[in-house]
Amino acid sequence: MSPAQGGHGGRRSPSGPSVTERVLGILSAFGPGAEALTLSGIARTAGLPLSTAHRLVGELASWGALERGEDGRYRIGLRLWEVGALAPRSLGLRERAMPYLEDLYEATRQNVQLAVRDGHEVVYVERLAHPEAVRVFSRVGGRMPLNATGVGQVLLAFAPPAVQEEVLAGPLPALTPRTITDPQDLRRTLAAVRREGVAVCDGMVDPLSLSVAAPVRGEDERVVASLSVVVPSAGAEPRTIVPAVRAAARGISRALGAPSARRRPTGVVTPVPTAPDTPPRAGRGT
Amino acid sequence: MSPAQGGHGGRRSPSGPSVTERVLGILSAFGPGAEALTLSGIARTAGLPLSTAHRLVGELASWGALERGEDGRYRIGLRLWEVGALAPRSLGLRERAMPYLEDLYEATRQNVQLAVRDGHEVVYVERLAHPEAVRVFSRVGGRMPLNATGVGQVLLAFAPPAVQEEVLAGPLPALTPRTITDPQDLRRTLAAVRREGVAVCDGMVDPLSLSVAAPVRGEDERVVASLSVVVPSAGAEPRTIVPAVRAAARGISRALGAPSARRRPTGVVTPVPTAPDTPPRAGRGT
DNA sequence: ATCGAGCTTCCGGTGGCCGGAAGGAGGCGC
DNA sequence: GCGCCTCCTTCCGGCCACCGGAAGCTCGAT
């Protein structure tokens, strides 16, 4: 987020990266399309001498951050996944959103996605896909540009102005001919998204699919995530989907404690027992 | 694990752990119930001097492995979650299993769980829970003992004999009075699980809930995961659930390429897998 | 047999890591 | 206000743990 190196670069030096950076560099070597790597592959990708990589990878594997398969190649280990699952912006969010995603999935039998923004990109946190649904390009844990996707436009529309300007100033990648790449165009689209509270993206990721996305708000009213449904472009009738997406997004916002999504006092007693608030200052763990 | 220090201990001890171990120790400080920690909390838990923790945590945060909240506390970062999502035993499995879990969830509107074994414990990889379903104790990314859970008994029943003996020899924790803690008892139960291809656990985790679990096999026929449904103990009729769980587990096995789960031309007996006619690589992945 | 790619182990030199100490920023009880 | 606490941040000299070249090993392929 805020560039930590604002002051004066400092530790960058010809002597080389720190041990920590090397370790993290090893983890970075893995990625979509590179789920399994040989030791020398890791060394090559991370730019490390083989013997150094050997030692570090060995330590990572013995802890469980990496696992070595029968083919001798390394993969990300279950232990690392476990730790990663503690990230509040993934699992915490996912946990509360799941029931609503379920319902939406069940209603459409297509693709339902939940995403957050990280920097200038969208990161998909959850995806429910019917095997026979239209193929989508995204993947849980994957990234996409903000301008080209429904969830991205929503997240950008409600992002801090500084972020919006940075993205509008930067390159706007096109995934299809219909992707919005003109800054003025995008600006208008974002305004519309803010006004409507929903984004409809037709054929911007894949010519054959259309997505409808809506914002999810946290307890401080900020947009913390976005939810979308992806359906085949042909014969899609967004009108029928928009209300469902809006409703689900609102439901999740309510589950997260967003005041604006709170149930209005009707005649009925609030049926949902508010979750026993965790003490705001739940101090020392363990 | 075979003790790696077989040769001559050497680096162990008074000099202290390596940098890598310290970094991993910092990550280990986080866990269920400790999702957000202060710097000094991390230092305390990981057993590091404050200044050392400060430096290492700073490096982790600037890479994105940790994130610092507005309250000054650190949490696991999105970037680390992303890397963790590449673990084949979590996401790869989950991706293929999801549609079946969906169906099972939709049919029961209770709790559906998918788990794998790691060492002598169960690790939950996925969980679909209806908000009004019976409360379950598990959590995605969480661990439970093998002897006390339906998925655990299944995973143990089909684990390598060496693992079984280790577990049977070790302590068998009791979560409720009905948890199986007698080795002989457990041995008989495991045999039954192998025979039936399903485990039914009544009140072993929580007196009020019952779970039905079945094995999921990979392309080499080994049991790679287990699937379960958890329902309220009272009034539950396992007979009606068992077939659904079995069917879903079989469906996932087929999706993973298990020969024994392949569709037969005719629907009769002969469970023995003879020479598979086609290589299992037929997958049309990605 | 010969080759090459990848993996593992060894070991001496040195530069990066370590962590005590000092100084600031809040928060709480009195 | 004042003292006391906890938590965070920065600094810097000393030492040792990390680094990585080199040699040897295990496979398969040619």
Side-chain angles (χ1 to χ4, degrees):
Chain A
M1 296 304 132
S2 60
Q5 61 266 40
H8 38 279
R11 92 106 58 17
R12 169 107 311 97
S13 66
S15 56
S18 71
V19 179
T20 308
E21 286 167 39
R22 284 164 191 246
V23 167
L24 295 173
I26 288 176
L27 297 184
S28 299
F30 294 85
E35 288 94 358
L37 299 174
T38 64
L39 175 59
S40 23
I42 294 173
R44 217 177 302 120
T45 310
L48 297 175
L50 189 55
S51 60
T52 300
H54 180 256
R55 180 169 28 86
L56 296 179
V57 165
E59 291 188 86
L60 286 170
S62 86
W63 184 80
L66 298 180
E67 285 175 9
R68 188 160 206 184
E70 292 177 359
D71 56 358
R73 297 199 294 177
Y74 291 93
R75 286 156 235 268
I76 297 296
L78 199 61
R79 185 83 185 275
L80 194 62
W81 172 81
E82 258 180 89
V83 174
L86 295 168
R89 285 170 73 198
S90 66
L91 197 64
L93 175 62
R94 199 197 93 102
E95 196 85 336
R96 313 218 211 174
M98 210 51 170
Y100 299 93
L101 301 185
E102 292 288 351
D103 290 342
L104 205 47
Y105 170 79
E106 202 52 38
T108 61
R109 283 267 149 185
Q110 287 288 334
N111 302 281
V112 180
Q113 304 180 319
L114 183 68
V116 300
R117 179 178 63 83
D118 193 47
H120 295 174
E121 288 174 306
V122 161
V123 177
Y124 289 94
V125 164
E126 182 57 274
R127 181 164 79 87
L128 302 181
H130 195 271
E132 294 162 24
V134 63
R135 273 251 178 247
V136 295
F137 209 43
S138 63
R139 141 194 186 112
V140 173
R143 290 176 178 254
M144 291 283 265
L146 286 169
N147 63 299
T149 61
V151 283
Q153 290 181 2
V154 166
L155 290 170
L156 186 55
F158 293 97
V163 173
Q164 294 187 25
E165 292 310 322
E166 285 165 28
V167 172
L168 283 162
L172 297 173
L175 302 183
T176 75
R178 298 173 66 182
T179 307
I180 297 181
T181 56
D182 176 60
Q184 281 315 315
D185 225 3
L186 183 52
R187 218 179 275 273
R188 270 191 301 275
T189 303
L190 296 182
V193 170
R194 272 188 295 269
R195 200 168 51 242
E196 304 290 337
V198 67
V200 178
C201 260
D202 192 354
M204 293 194 192
V205 175
D206 169 342
L208 300 179
S209 63
L210 174 152
S211 78
V212 177
V216 173
R217 295 171 183 275
E219 46 186 344
D220 56 359
E221 281 298 310
R222 270 186 291 193
V223 172
V224 296
S226 176
L227 165 69
S228 81
V229 169
V230 180
V231 299
S233 216
E237 189 48 76
R239 312 283 153 67
T240 65
I241 307 171
V242 167
V245 173
R246 269 215 189 95
R250 188 183 163 88
I252 298 171
S253 300
R254 184 169 55 242
L256 292 176
S260 67
R262 201 166 288 154
R263 283 207 170 91
R264 300 284 150 56
T266 64
V268 189
V269 187
T270 52
V272 181
T274 56
D277 334 43
T278 55
R281 224 157 276 230
R284 51 215 355 150
T286 56
Chain B
M1 318 280 170
S2 57
Q5 59 265 40
H8 37 281
R11 83 113 59 30
R12 177 96 308 110
S13 69
S15 54
S18 71
V19 179
T20 308
E21 285 167 39
R22 287 165 188 243
V23 168
L24 295 174
I26 287 176
L27 297 183
S28 299
F30 294 85
E35 289 94 357
L37 298 174
T38 64
L39 176 59
S40 23
I42 294 173
R44 218 179 300 122
T45 310
L48 295 176
L50 190 56
S51 60
T52 301
H54 181 256
R55 180 169 30 84
L56 296 179
V57 164
E59 291 189 84
L60 287 170
S62 86
W63 184 80
L66 297 180
E67 285 176 7
R68 187 160 205 184
E70 293 177 358
D71 57 357
R73 297 199 292 179
Y74 291 93
R75 287 153 232 269
I76 297 295
L78 198 62
R79 185 85 186 273
L80 193 62
W81 171 81
E82 257 180 272
V83 174
L86 295 168
R89 286 170 71 199
S90 66
L91 197 63
L93 175 61
R94 197 197 94 101
E95 196 84 338
R96 312 219 213 175
M98 210 48 170
Y100 299 92
L101 300 185
E102 292 287 351
D103 290 343
L104 204 48
Y105 169 79
E106 201 52 39
T108 62
R109 283 266 148 186
Q110 287 287 336
N111 301 283
V112 180
Q113 304 179 318
L114 183 69
V116 300
R117 179 178 63 81
D118 192 49
H120 296 175
E121 288 174 306
V122 161
V123 177
Y124 289 93
V125 165
E126 182 57 274
R127 180 163 80 87
L128 302 182
H130 195 271
E132 293 161 26
V134 62
R135 275 250 175 248
V136 295
F137 210 43
S138 63
R139 140 196 188 111
V140 172
R143 289 175 178 257
M144 292 281 267
L146 286 169
N147 63 299
T149 61
V151 283
Q153 290 181 3
V154 166
L155 290 169
L156 185 55
F158 294 97
V163 173
Q164 294 187 25
E165 292 310 322
E166 287 166 26
V167 173
L168 283 163
L172 297 173
L175 303 183
T176 76
R178 298 173 68 181
T179 307
I180 298 181
T181 56
D182 176 59
Q184 282 314 314
D185 224 5
L186 184 52
R187 218 179 276 274
R188 271 191 298 276
T189 303
L190 295 182
V193 170
R194 273 187 296 270
R195 199 168 53 243
E196 305 291 337
V198 67
V200 178
C201 261
D202 192 353
M204 292 194 192
V205 174
D206 168 343
L208 301 179
S209 63
L210 175 152
S211 79
V212 177
V216 173
R217 295 171 183 277
E219 48 185 341
D220 57 359
E221 280 300 310
R222 270 186 292 190
V223 172
V224 296
S226 176
L227 166 69
S228 81
V229 171
V230 180
V231 299
S233 213
E237 190 46 77
R239 311 282 153 65
T240 66
I241 307 171
V242 167
V245 174
R246 268 214 190 96
R250 187 182 164 87
I252 299 171
S253 300
R254 184 169 55 241
L256 293 176
S260 68
R262 202 168 285 153
R263 287 207 167 85
R264 304 255 162 60
T266 67
V268 203
V269 275
T270 60
V272 178
T274 47
D277 34 5
T278 47
R281 325 195 92 238
R284 63 175 73 234
T286 32

